[in-house]
């Protein structure tokens, strides 16, 4: 797990002795870590692919079999509600995560919390959560294999409105002035300024320009906040 920074960041948000559901588990690295390190004694690893679950099943020893169950399913479909349940949905885009929650909203609301990891369109996920009364408890960046991932811990509770900058970049890294966010802001600013120049040069696509200007405004909002706090 040494080279799995994203998975370790996810695991760091899981309280001990929760009943963990890992949606789209693939190789089952998170369930294996949770079981072997005594973090959870009841883990359900799910995937839509039987072959993917077979990868996990093939490495389960007698002890981990006592703690890890597997299930072929799509999202939360067919899973029983229990007290003390939490869920992980990682390795998917924001649109897929939204679909999974939306299709089983009652189940998602019953969970103690969800841990979500996305590397694309996370601003849409944050807006979806707030609009559906999910409180964002933690929200920060993880960097692994030259990719940035947003890690969100959320629960069904009274939600608070988000600033534009928080919708795009998450509250924790803004508050902490994290180096990883500073690096990403510089990358995003250069990339979006280039996109804007290309659009203006070729098409003047107002919808795309609006999205780019909104992200650039979010970046500026963070920089202004940091300047005021210095």
């Amino acid at each position: 797990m040494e080279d799995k920074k994203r998975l370790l960041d996810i695991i760091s948000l899981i309280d001990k002795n929760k009943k963990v559901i890992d949606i789209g588990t693939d190789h089952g690295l998170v369930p294996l870590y949770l079981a072997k390190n005594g973090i959870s004694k009841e883990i359900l690893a799910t995937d839509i692919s039987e072959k993917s679950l077979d990868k996990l099943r093939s490495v389960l020893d007698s002890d981990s079999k006592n703690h890890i169950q597997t299930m072929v399913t799509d999202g939360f479909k067919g899973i029983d509600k229990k007290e003390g349940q939490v869920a992980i949905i990682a390795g998917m885009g924001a649109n897929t995560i939204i679909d999974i929650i939306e299709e089983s909203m009652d189940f998602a609301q019953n969970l103690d919390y969800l841990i979500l990891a996305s590397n694309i369109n996370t601003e849409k996920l944050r807006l979806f959560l707030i609009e559906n009364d999910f409180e964002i408890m933690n929200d920060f960046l993880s960097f692994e294999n030259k990719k940035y991932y947003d890690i969100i811990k959320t629960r069904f509770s009274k939600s608070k409105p988000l600033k534009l900058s928080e919708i795009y970049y998450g509250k924790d890294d803004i508050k902490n002035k994290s180096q990883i966010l500073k690096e990403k802001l510089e990358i995003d600013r250069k990339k979006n300024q280039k996109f804007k120049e290309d659009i203006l040069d070729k098409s003047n696509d107002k919808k795309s320009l609006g999205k780019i200007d909104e992200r650039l405004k979010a970046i500026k909002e963070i920089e202004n906040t940091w300047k005021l706090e210095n």
Side-chain angles (χ1 to χ4, degrees), residues 76 87 89 101 108 111-116 134 152-154:
F76 294 113
I89 311 177
I101 296 172
L111 294 164
D112 284 7
Y113 52 81
L114 300 96
I115 298 171
L116 315 173
F134 282 86
I152 297 172
K153 185 176 184 177
T154 183

Side-chain angles (χ1 to χ4, degrees), residues 113-164:
Y113 52 81
L114 300 96
I115 298 171
L116 315 173
S118 169
N119 71 336
I120 186 169
N121 292 330
T122 312
E123 66 274 10
K124 291 180 65 176
L125 176 57
R126 293 188 182 101
L127 284 172
F128 169 81
L129 293 171
I130 295 304
E131 288 168 0
N132 286 277
D133 291 323
F134 282 86
E135 174 195 5
I136 295 177
M137 303 159 69
N138 299 98
D139 189 349
F140 59 91
L141 283 168
S142 185
F143 186 72
E144 176 187 293
N145 295 329
K146 300 182 180 180
K147 286 186 179 180
Y148 292 94
Y149 296 88
D150 294 290
I151 311 293
I152 297 172
K153 185 176 184 177
T154 183
R155 65 185 172 192
F156 184 61
S157 181
K158 187 175 181 180
S159 61
K160 297 178 182 178
L162 298 176
K163 298 178 182 177
L164 181 65

Side-chain angles (χ1 to χ4, degrees), residues 64-80:
S64 55
K65 283 180 181 178
N66 291 328
H67 305 302
I68 300 174
Q69 292 183 319
T70 61
M71 180 179 181
V72 177
T73 190
D74 183 5
F76 294 113
K77 294 173 184 175
I79 301 175
D80 294 330

Side-chain angles (χ1 to χ4, degrees), residues 89 97-105 108 114 116 128-129:
I89 311 177
I97 295 172
I98 289 169
D99 287 344
I100 290 170
I101 296 172
E102 203 163 33
E103 288 174 6
S104 302
M105 182 62 75
L114 300 96
L116 315 173
F128 169 81
L129 293 171

Side-chain angles (χ1 to χ4, degrees), residues 11 13-21 34-35 37-43 67 82-86 112-113:
I11 289 164
L13 296 175
I14 300 173
D15 299 295
K16 195 168 183 178
N17 295 326
K18 290 293 184 181
K19 300 178 180 73
V20 179
I21 306 165
L34 294 174
N37 289 275
I39 298 170
S40 176
K41 296 179 180 179
E42 187 173 332
I43 306 155
H67 305 302
K82 298 179 181 180
E83 288 188 8
Q85 279 180 319
V86 303
D112 284 7
Y113 52 81

